[in-house]
Amino acid sequence: FERGDDPKLASPWLVRAAERALENNEFTLALSLAARGEAVGAGAAEQGALFAVQGEAFRWRNESEAAQAKAREAIRLLQPSDRHWVRAVNLLALMSGIRGDYAELERAAALLLDHIERSDEGTGRAAVVAAAETAATLFIAGRRGPAVRLFETM
């Protein structure tokens, strides 16, 4: 698709390939595939998914500032119903906690809490994992109130 007349057709396959690379701990490859997806002009949802993958790859490479930035970009582009959205909010919370950005940590927790309370699918596996990890990060940061509210939603 990339060499053909419509390179945008490659973007869903590049998202999938980047996800597989991430699952196999091939972080450099995941970043490279995501960059290729950006270059072919992925749509908003695919671009958001690519940013989420990049954020996770940066997380595991211990590049918390880049991971936090990619998580922000993913959240901006994705709809809360997208499976990558919850993961991006969780990533934003974790990276914000690591970086001592507690105001952003609390904003991410509020986004997640709102999503869980509003969504029929909010208590799915990804949301429960995100809520638990975000709540733990809040507790470590000394933000007991928001942490308890998240735990109560599970």
Side-chain angles (χ1 to χ4, degrees):
F1 297 112
E2 288 178 277
R3 295 181 188 159
D5 291 336
D6 196 355
K8 287 182 184 180
L9 293 176
S11 60
W13 299 105
L14 289 166
V15 170
R16 207 167 151 192
E19 290 172 331
R20 296 304 166 264
L22 183 63
E23 290 169 6
N24 289 306
N25 299 324
E26 295 285 348
F27 308 125
T28 302
L29 179 59
L31 291 168
S32 172
L33 290 164
R36 283 174 59 192
E38 287 181 65
V40 299
E46 290 160 341
Q47 186 65 58
L50 291 168
F51 285 150
V53 168
Q54 287 173 318
E56 286 289 337
F58 283 128
R59 170 191 181 184
W60 293 111
R61 287 171 40 140
N62 203 27
E63 297 178 43
S64 58
E65 184 175 358
Q68 186 181 30
K70 289 297 180 181
R72 273 191 221 108
E73 292 179 56
I75 293 164
R76 180 179 54 82
L77 290 175
L78 295 168
Q79 297 298 314
S81 59
D82 189 298
R83 65 188 172 92
H84 295 283
W85 186 87
V86 168
R87 289 174 55 195
V89 173
N90 185 37
L91 178 63
L92 179 62
L94 295 173
M95 295 302 102
S96 298
I98 286 170
R99 300 190 71 242
D101 188 347
Y102 301 132
E104 183 143 60
L105 167 60
E106 288 193 36
R107 285 191 297 275
L111 275 176
L112 185 57
L113 182 62
D114 183 61
H115 171 70
I116 291 169
E117 291 177 341
R118 290 177 182 241
S119 173
D120 293 335
E121 300 171 12
T123 55
R125 181 182 183 279
V128 170
V129 169
E133 289 182 351
T134 300
T137 304
L138 286 161
F139 272 122
I140 291 167
R143 305 306 201 261
R144 187 178 187 283
V148 169
R149 285 192 294 279
L150 268 177
F151 271 126
E152 288 173 347
T153 65
M154 292 186 274

